[in-house]
Amino acid sequence: MYDVIVIGARCAGSPAAMLFARQGYRVLLLEKARFPQDTLSSHYIHQPGVALLDRWGLLDELRNAGCRPINHQSYEALGVRLEGFSLPVDGHRTTYAPRRFVLDPILARGAVAAGVEFRESCTVNDLLYEGDRVAGVRYTTPGGGEATERARLVVGADGMRSLVARKVGAPKVIEHARMTCTYYSYWDKVPAHFELYERPGRWIALAPTNDGLTLIMTYFPQSEFSDVRTDVESHYLDAVRTTAPELYERMSDGERVEQMYGTGAQENYFRKAHGPGWVLLGDAVHHKDSITARGITDAFLQAQSLTEEIGEQLHDDIALTKALRRYENGLQDTSYSFYQGALNAAELKPERHTEMVRKLVGNQDLTDRYFSTVSGAYSFDDFYSNELLTVLDQG
């Protein structure tokens, strides 16, 4: 009998398991993959996520894994260019964009070091119940056998297609249509910082990652997905050529070293977050278009929030219910502005904000605060306060 079973050992599950174990709970972490294994990702970790890695004692391992530091950001659209960087969070301004086959094992090792029992290549097939309460899991072992384990709390950190969400019937309480599709790959000999380029109907993002490579991502309207997927490389290169010609020239001097990766499944939703004996975490509870690269950072923040809210109250029914309710309320309170920001960016209509962005040019303080609204280092409300609007109007 475990205190907590966590399903999914990536950016939400491993940190949650680690933090529960550090609170003294007996934790089982189940993962269907065998690490290291890659997965679709926008890679980027914003400043709040970096600060949490440091707080958890895992940042040095990430740095030592060959992931290049990022200290500069630019955004260019319709003849306007901003350069700067987000404000720091807890003293951390440098960011990283690690490959997932590097990051995820670091997180899992952190969980194991905290005392978590980690089982890879285990596919959860069903939930166990005691009355109407989730009480455990049934899963397939690496050898193909079937096993069951029980716990006080089952955490579904098992992604957009969460089995836990499906089995408990967790409804989507907020949902919007898919807006973009994305394709990306990795390039050698293409120097880069954290760069964003936009024109109507196109968005390009790039960042340095591990092994001296550069991640280059392209975004298209969801309505073009069926066409783009039939000739991905041609659409990918044309998007860069027509949106960021200077980058296209840099790429001409470099080399694509991996296949194209991509997806049209850019879902946008919040699910009901908890019920008797279960709670959802990461993409299982909330997903938004990857265009703002908030996924990893949000997963970290959710893991920290969930474990802090529960604290020592796991075995107190009333206190646990209240803690899970606080977690759910906090999830929407803290994430909705980022959710709406992603939806706005995913419209791929830079003309709607070009004039405001143009007024930031030459004002480094406001530029950095503007970038900070996406990172989470500065709130949207504060940025669009009366004082800042006055400065912009005067610009």
Side-chain angles (χ1 to χ4, degrees):
M1 177 75 177
Y2 292 89
D3 295 307
V4 181
I5 295 174
V6 180
I7 304 171
R10 293 193 183 268
C11 292
S14 281
M18 175 189 70
L19 294 169
F20 275 126
R22 288 180 179 179
Q23 291 173 335
Y25 294 119
R26 185 171 183 235
V27 182
L28 173 63
L29 177 61
L30 298 173
E31 168 56 46
K32 65 182 179 181
R34 184 166 186 83
F35 289 167
Q37 187 179 92
D38 211 357
T39 189
L40 292 176
S41 179
S42 54
H43 298 65
Y44 193 72
I45 306 176
H46 292 276
Q47 282 79 2
V50 175
L52 283 176
L53 284 174
D54 188 34
R55 178 175 174 180
W56 298 338
L58 303 177
L59 182 56
D60 285 344
E61 187 172 358
L62 178 65
R63 288 169 170 162
N64 293 336
C67 189
R68 289 178 289 166
I70 302 170
N71 295 288
H72 179 210
Q73 177 177 353
S74 62
Y75 169 79
E76 186 172 319
L78 303 179
V80 180
R81 182 178 177 87
L82 296 178
E83 296 196 50
F85 211 45
S86 168
L87 301 174
V89 173
D90 295 338
H92 290 279
R93 198 173 193 186
T94 297
T95 59
Y96 302 87
R99 297 293 295 265
R100 293 296 295 277
F101 59 73
V102 173
L103 175 64
D104 294 352
I106 290 173
L107 300 174
R109 286 194 293 271
V112 171
V116 171
E117 185 175 341
F118 178 38
R119 300 180 189 172
E120 299 174 88
S121 303
C122 292
T123 301
V124 176
N125 305 308
D126 207 351
L127 302 178
L128 306 179
Y129 287 84
E130 293 179 359
D132 65 350
R133 183 184 186 88
V134 173
V137 300
R138 178 176 288 109
Y139 65 97
T140 302
T141 68
E146 187 176 271
T148 61
E149 297 291 354
R150 293 183 174 270
R152 170 69 173 165
L153 183 67
V154 173
V155 179
D158 49 343
M160 282 196 303
R161 299 170 182 84
S162 169
L163 176 134
V164 176
R166 187 169 71 252
K167 291 293 183 179
V168 301
K172 292 176 178 175
V173 296
I174 297 174
E175 185 175 16
H176 291 81
R178 298 175 181 180
M179 299 182 70
T180 75
C181 59
T182 182
Y183 282 94
Y184 65 88
S185 193
Y186 304 92
W187 291 71
D188 192 19
K189 300 177 184 177
V190 179
H193 49 277
F194 182 31
E195 303 177 39
L196 305 172
Y197 300 88
E198 187 178 15
R199 69 171 176 84
R202 296 292 183 268
W203 178 284
I204 313 297
L206 59 157
T209 184
N210 293 88
D211 303 318
L213 301 181
T214 295
L215 165 72
I216 302 179
M217 306 186 74
T218 55
Y219 286 80
F220 309 84
Q222 175 69 209
S223 60
E224 297 182 21
F225 180 49
S226 59
D227 290 333
V228 173
R229 68 189 303 187
T230 62
D231 188 0
V232 171
E233 185 171 20
S234 176
H235 283 89
Y236 174 85
L237 292 174
D238 185 69
V240 176
R241 181 183 61 81
T242 57
T243 309
E246 185 275 331
L247 170 60
Y248 186 78
E249 291 300 318
R250 268 186 281 160
M251 292 168 65
S252 299
D253 294 331
E255 177 187 9
R256 179 166 66 85
V257 296
E258 293 192 28
Q259 68 181 59
M260 300 298 304
Y261 304 91
T263 182
Q266 295 273 67
E267 308 290 347
N268 300 291
Y269 61 80
F270 287 82
R271 283 192 176 111
K272 172 66 178 172
H274 70 93
W278 62 271
V279 65
L280 300 179
L281 192 66
D283 288 351
V285 71
H286 165 52
H287 189 275
K288 55 187 167 292
D289 197 291
S290 65
I291 197 164
T292 52
R294 287 284 314 182
I296 296 174
T297 302
D298 285 347
F300 288 178
L301 291 167
Q302 291 170 27
Q304 186 69 43
S305 172
L306 175 65
T307 54
E308 284 182 347
E309 292 293 356
I310 292 176
E312 299 177 353
Q313 302 168 336
L314 181 65
H315 293 281
D316 181 324
D317 284 346
I318 295 176
L320 177 60
T321 299
K322 291 180 178 178
L324 293 175
R325 189 176 298 125
R326 290 194 301 271
Y327 160 71
E328 182 174 56
N329 291 339
L331 178 67
Q332 291 195 21
D333 290 345
T334 58
S335 298
Y336 190 78
S337 61
F338 296 117
Y339 178 76
Q340 190 59 56
L343 295 180
N344 291 342
E347 289 181 332
L348 302 180
K349 294 180 178 179
E351 63 274 14
R352 292 189 174 183
H353 55 261
T354 300
E355 285 309 307
M356 185 275 290
V357 172
R358 191 184 308 276
K359 292 178 180 179
L360 299 179
V361 175
N363 190 323
Q364 195 61 57
D365 179 58
L366 285 183
T367 296
D368 290 346
R369 280 192 268 176
Y370 177 65
F371 287 146
S372 300
T373 62
V374 178
S375 76
Y378 201 76
S379 77
F380 285 94
D381 288 343
D382 287 342
F383 182 78
Y384 291 104
S385 66
N386 291 331
E387 294 88 348
L388 288 177
L389 287 174
T390 298
V391 172
L392 291 174
D393 288 341
Q394 293 173 348

